[in-house]
């Protein structure tokens, strides 16, 4: 799933980010309400983790704006430190789908996100991603290419997971940078070097490179081995 975390507490945000990313999800994060709203409106997410108390714009206002002004229905799981019925009700009135009171178990967060996503009729992409000779299992992080297993560093793995989401489609460099590094500033050299590392690891394992450079634009994962 593609998940947005809007949380200003650095330790909580990092824990959520690391846990969900390690579980094979694609995660973006914002530390304030304004950035969170901007991301939620400009990108498509499968679920949003939204803290109630945020600088810039609180979670309830963000939620309300998203639902009523931007007409965006992405499932929202509200995270709240204030265990009062009143806050919970306000959260639901603003259009949140579910809530969790801090402190929460990380596994519980993932389970609720998946449940909300399914209730909306969404497919959970926590299943095997596959094209041609290449497969990636987001649950075990096991990558296989032409019969050989491949080990990849985290960012290269995420790059591969994004491209495997739509094999054959051309991804622009900007799009890949945004999907993998989000608002962390990535230079053009960052993508280039991770892409190089990914292609080298795959070529070494499978005997050929399944990624094509699309001149002046970006990259594409080929769907059939070259003949
Ligand atoms: Ca907070």
């Amino acid at each position: 799933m593609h998940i947005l975390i809007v949380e200003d507490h650095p330790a909580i945000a990092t824990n959520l980010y690391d846990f969900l990313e390690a579980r094979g999800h694609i995660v973006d994060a914002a530390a304030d309400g304004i950035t969170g709203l901007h991301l939620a409106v400009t990108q498509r997410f499968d679920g949003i983790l939204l803290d109630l108390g945020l600088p810039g714009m609180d979670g309830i206002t963000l939620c309300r704006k998203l639902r009523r002004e931007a007409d965006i229905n992405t499932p929202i799981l509200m995270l709240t430190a204030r265990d009062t019925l009143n806050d919970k009700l306000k959260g639901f009135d603003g259009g949140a789908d579910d809530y969790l009171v801090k402190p929460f178990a990380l596994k519980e967060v993932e389970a609720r996100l998946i449940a909300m996503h399914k209730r909306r009729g969404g497919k959970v992409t926590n299943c095997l991603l596959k094209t041609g000779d290449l497969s990636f299992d987001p649950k075990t992080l096991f990558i296989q290419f032409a019969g050989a297993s491949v080990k990849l560093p985290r960012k290269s793995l995420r790059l591969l997971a994004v491209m495997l989401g739509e094999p054959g489609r051309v991804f622009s460099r900007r799009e890949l940078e945004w999907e993998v590094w989000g608002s962390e500033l990535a230079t053009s050299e960052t993508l280039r070097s991770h892409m190089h590392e990914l292609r080298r690891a795959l070529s070494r394992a499978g005997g050929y490179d399944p990624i094509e450079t699309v001149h002046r634009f970006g990259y594409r994962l080929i769907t059939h081995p070259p003949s």
Side-chain angles (χ1 to χ4, degrees):
M1 287 170 67
H2 190 186
I3 298 162
L4 173 64
I5 301 169
V6 191
E7 166 66 79
D8 62 316
H9 192 292
I12 297 175
T14 306
N15 278 343
L16 285 167
Y17 192 103
D18 290 349
F19 177 78
L20 292 169
E21 197 182 49
R23 300 278 299 163
H25 299 287
I26 294 177
V27 191
D28 282 303
D32 66 85
I34 310 276
T35 310
L37 182 66
H38 175 75
L39 285 174
V41 169
T42 54
Q43 287 194 64
R44 202 189 56 77
F45 292 96
D46 300 311
I48 301 173
L49 288 174
L50 182 59
D51 181 30
L52 191 63
L54 286 167
M57 178 189 297
D58 69 70
I60 288 172
T61 310
L62 194 160
C63 196
R64 210 168 270 149
K65 279 187 178 289
L66 207 57
R67 296 286 191 252
R68 294 183 193 165
E69 292 171 31
D71 199 25
I72 285 173
N73 286 317
T74 312
I76 294 175
L77 176 59
M78 194 77 101
L79 306 172
T80 169
R82 291 175 243 165
D83 185 14
T84 68
L85 191 60
N86 204 15
D87 279 335
K88 284 173 197 167
L89 289 175
K90 266 199 268 172
F92 282 108
D93 178 47
D97 296 77
D98 200 356
Y99 67 88
L100 265 179
V101 174
K102 295 176 189 176
F104 43 74
L106 292 167
K107 278 190 174 165
E108 173 83 12
V109 173
E110 192 197 20
R112 300 264 189 122
L113 279 169
I114 291 173
M116 291 191 314
H117 185 54
K118 279 187 180 157
R119 278 204 295 275
R120 291 288 178 83
K123 271 187 255 145
V124 176
T125 51
N126 226 351
C127 54
L128 199 69
L129 294 167
K130 196 176 181 321
T131 185
D133 291 336
L134 186 61
S135 70
F136 168 56
D137 185 344
K139 275 182 282 198
T140 57
L141 306 184
F142 187 72
I143 306 156
Q144 217 177 11
F145 182 44
S149 81
V150 186
K151 285 252 176 290
L152 288 175
R154 200 181 259 209
K155 295 292 187 196
S156 301
L157 187 135
R158 203 166 147 188
L159 208 47
L160 177 67
V162 170
M163 296 181 79
L164 260 174
E166 285 178 79
R169 171 154 98 79
V170 181
F171 286 87
S172 73
R173 285 190 289 262
R174 250 193 109 76
E175 196 177 358
L176 288 172
E177 279 164 5
W178 183 254
E179 289 281 1
V180 177
W181 287 273
S183 43
E184 295 169 42
L185 209 57
T187 65
S188 56
E189 203 39 56
T190 315
L191 175 65
R192 215 188 306 273
S193 68
H194 282 80
M195 188 56 87
H196 179 71
E197 197 169 1
L198 172 62
R199 296 174 84 161
R200 206 176 45 178
L202 291 172
S203 305
R204 206 183 285 147
Y208 70 94
D209 180 3
I211 296 168
E212 231 173 54
T213 304
V214 179
H215 187 55
R216 286 168 180 257
F217 191 76
Y219 302 93
R220 191 171 84 92
L221 200 58
I222 59 174
T223 50
H224 298 288
S227 44

